[in-house]
Amino acid sequence: MIKNAYLAGVYAGVEKRNPGEKEFLQAVREVLESLEAVCEKHPEYEANGVLERMVEPERFIQFRVSWVDDAGKVQVNRGFRVQFNSAIGPYKGGLRLHPSVNASVIKFLGFEQVFKNSLTGLPMGGGKGGSDFDPKGKSDGEIMRFCQSFMTELSKHIGQFTDVPAGDIGVGAREIGYMYGQYKRLRNEFTGVLTGKGLKWGGSLARTEATGFGLCYFTQEALQCMRGESFAGKTVVVSGSGNVAIYACQKAAELGGKVVAMSDSNGFVHDPEGIDLALVKQIKEVRRGRISEYVKGRPSASYTEGCAGIWGIPCDIALPCATQNEINGESAKLLVKNGCKVVCEGANMPSTPEAIEVYLANGVLYGPAKATNAGGVAVSGLEMSQNSLRLAWTFEEVDGRLKEIMKNIFHNAYNASKECGVEGNLMVGANAAGFIKVADAMVAQGIAY
Ligand code: NDP
């Protein structure tokens, strides 16, 4: 419920202008609901129409991506890039390749990215992009031709000082390589226009690990400050088995937790003896296989078809790292019933509004995605810095900076929650802290009539 009249009016306008875009509306609503105290304290935001401007992307680009498959048949996909807000820096945000990608998904991700990037403390605006192309089952040649065609159009809209995309679901080192190669071919320039690049051609050490590691650094700091606890001895469930999930699993185990379950879009594995991450990496990173293959090498593990069942496994800490809306109200209730006390989000918006209500009503330590998974974009920002300096920092240096950034994000969100009168509500705190910096920049930069 949005009580503040100004914010309620802004939301009504967003609903009218973006009919049927349920993910985008969900993301906007959550942020607006969190900003009542901030807007009451800062009438200048309403006077400057900050919220009306913030919910409307600066630019939304949709384009045709045609490519030829291995059978010689022409295929057509839809490409997107949303350049949401550039008040504090060039647009920055990942590219997602998944059949579920549409305008609503891209706009929700771009909107969230604005606040997340602001929370990192680095000078980055918010953007996001992708395509409804499904990389599953495609050959290397098909992936390459798709990525080249996608970049042929995207290259007209991005640049190291304008918009710097990165990876997301379905876009890892291979896809970034094909896209970067095409950009370079078209522009004849070697610049830091994409992040997540290979280490031999401008990438940053620790970028691959950054989102998962950052999630655990945040969780550890929150546990310590809010509960006087740590990962040590805790049972952890991690959903997904992609980039974020794998490195969240690794760091949670390094910090003393025992990860007992992981999943993919087909099902989940439960291994009460603790997930063998080397085996998961072999299946997912090397063979690009399915998580179901895990049980072949591990007699202690069982596999279950379907994703939602993973939330029925008893745990102390849940780290959803797969996709949006993967925990609904029912799953959240099950987590709480089985003793889960901490939910920190690796994926973007993995909890439905009903799930969040359950966390807050039951005193679960809830770390919202825009704060908890900001480590990926933070190290992307550090990759941009290294590219500009034409230097490469060591793993330890980047990892050390990541740790500091994640700790600062926690403290900024926690302090903001106190200022908003809801101490410990990190969702309100993260939204408020991320928002104020961007809002002040927008006020300072004026309105173009
Ligand atoms: P990957 O493509 O590497 O992995 C995604 C994982 O989630 C896979 O295990 C995939 O299973 C599973 N998955 C994808 N879609 C669904 C679905 N609809 N239902 C169930 N499972 C699904 O992506 P990332 O690890 O990079 O991204 C995961 C999440 O983290 C996303 O929400 C992303 O936006 C977010 N994120 C990622 C960042 C990064 O640095 N990579 C930074 C910040 C946020 P399958 O293999 O079967 O498709």
Side-chain angles (χ1 to χ4, degrees):
M1 217 351 227
I2 304 174
K3 286 177 241 111
N4 175 290
Y6 168 51
L7 293 171
V10 170
Y11 185 71
V14 178
E15 261 187 325
K16 200 165 161 201
R17 224 178 227 169
N18 305 276
E21 297 196 351
K22 60 182 177 19
E23 294 86 0
F24 179 51
L25 293 174
Q26 181 183 337
V28 171
R29 188 179 187 99
E30 183 216 282
V31 169
L32 296 187
E33 278 175 355
S34 300
L35 293 178
E36 309 210 90
V38 173
C39 286
E40 271 148 33
K41 223 189 244 176
H42 294 273
E44 70 273 21
Y45 296 150
E46 179 172 357
N48 284 276
V50 168
L51 267 306
E52 293 90 326
R53 289 190 279 146
M54 215 176 251
V55 295
E56 187 64 22
E58 288 175 18
R59 200 167 293 108
F60 183 81
I61 303 144
Q62 183 184 307
F63 49 97
R64 181 179 66 207
V65 187
S66 38
W67 55 282
V68 179
D69 69 17
D70 287 346
K73 191 171 178 321
V74 176
Q75 300 285 344
V76 177
N77 285 100
R78 188 170 273 185
F80 301 94
R81 185 75 185 164
V82 67
Q83 298 180 330
F84 224 108
N85 194 306
S86 60
I88 62 167
Y91 310 105
K92 180 95 198 83
L95 298 169
R96 176 176 291 193
L97 300 182
H98 194 272
S100 63
V101 164
N102 56 32
S104 170
V105 168
I106 293 299
K107 278 157 67 179
F108 120 63
L109 290 164
F111 183 70
E112 291 275 296
Q113 198 79 44
V114 174
F115 306 98
K116 180 186 309 192
N117 293 2
S118 161
L119 281 168
T120 66
L122 300 173
M124 298 182 290
K128 198 82 189 186
S131 169
D132 59 3
F133 172 79
D134 186 358
K136 269 203 209 97
K138 303 289 191 299
S139 70
D140 265 3
E142 289 176 324
I143 299 277
M144 184 177 77
R145 292 193 292 280
F146 170 83
C147 288
Q148 290 174 340
S149 177
F150 181 80
M151 182 50 85
T152 299
E153 177 59 32
L154 188 69
S155 66
K156 297 171 191 163
H157 310 285
I158 62 175
Q160 62 167 333
F161 300 121
T162 316
D163 183 356
V164 183
D168 190 72
I169 290 180
V171 177
R174 174 180 59 169
E175 293 74 19
I176 291 289
Y178 293 147
M179 289 186 198
Y180 191 73
Q182 183 71 351
Y183 183 87
K184 206 160 53 62
R185 231 166 260 129
L186 292 166
R187 291 291 188 89
N188 193 25
E189 62 177 41
F190 197 105
T191 56
V193 67
L194 295 176
T195 57
K197 298 186 291 299
L199 294 177
K200 296 192 176 85
W201 40 279
S204 173
L205 284 161
R207 174 61 188 90
T208 308
E209 295 83 355
T211 310
F213 278 20
L215 169 65
C216 293
Y217 294 146
F218 181 102
T219 307
Q220 180 86 339
E221 188 71 8
L223 270 169
Q224 230 155 50
C225 296
M226 292 171 72
R227 300 280 156 83
E229 295 178 17
S230 76
F231 266 100
K234 302 276 192 309
T235 301
V236 184
V237 164
V238 176
S239 66
S241 48
N243 172 263
V244 180
I246 284 176
Y247 293 96
C249 180
Q250 180 171 326
K251 188 52 75 178
E254 281 173 19
L255 292 170
K258 186 189 202 186
V259 181
V260 296
M262 292 184 85
S263 63
D264 62 19
S265 55
N266 293 109
F268 65 92
V269 289
H270 181 199
D271 189 344
E273 289 190 0
I275 289 284
D276 176 350
L277 193 62
L279 180 57
V280 175
K281 283 186 180 174
Q282 176 66 26
I283 295 167
K284 286 301 204 181
E285 292 187 337
V286 181
R287 304 209 299 265
R288 294 183 190 274
R290 310 304 303 158
I291 199 73
S292 56
E293 296 164 31
Y294 180 87
V295 293
K296 286 185 207 152
R298 290 283 286 187
S300 54
S302 57
Y303 173 73
T304 309
E305 275 291 315
C307 303
I310 195 171
W311 309 119
I313 298 171
C315 64
D316 304 303
I317 301 175
L319 303 176
C321 296
T323 194
Q324 65 267 13
N325 291 329
E326 53 172 313
I327 306 184
N328 61 18
E330 289 311 306
S331 299
K333 282 184 198 154
L334 202 54
L335 279 168
V336 169
K337 186 170 146 252
N338 288 331
C340 177
K341 304 226 167 26
V342 179
V343 179
C344 284
E345 300 178 331
N348 282 310
M349 205 168 77
S351 307
T352 65
E354 296 74 29
I356 296 170
E357 270 176 37
V358 174
Y359 308 149
L360 299 180
N362 288 280
V364 170
L365 193 172
Y366 168 54
K370 60 174 75 69
T372 48
N373 73 18
V377 74
V379 172
S380 276
L382 300 179
E383 183 174 329
M384 289 166 73
S385 305
Q386 292 169 79
N387 291 163
S388 296
L389 290 165
R390 302 202 184 283
L391 286 175
W393 298 332
T394 62
F395 186 96
E396 289 67 31
E397 172 144 22
V398 180
D399 189 41
R401 286 176 190 251
L402 169 65
K403 206 176 288 174
E404 280 315 301
I405 289 172
M406 297 313 296
K407 283 184 180 178
N408 284 339
I409 293 176
F410 165 73
H411 288 288
N412 288 341
Y414 186 68
N415 292 338
S417 77
K418 281 200 250 178
E419 278 160 31
C420 292
V422 284
E423 181 169 349
N425 183 329
L426 299 176
M427 176 178 71
V428 169
N431 285 336
F435 167 80
I436 288 170
K437 185 172 161 193
V438 180
D440 288 349
M442 289 173 74
V443 171
Q445 290 168 19
I447 303 159
Y449 291 94

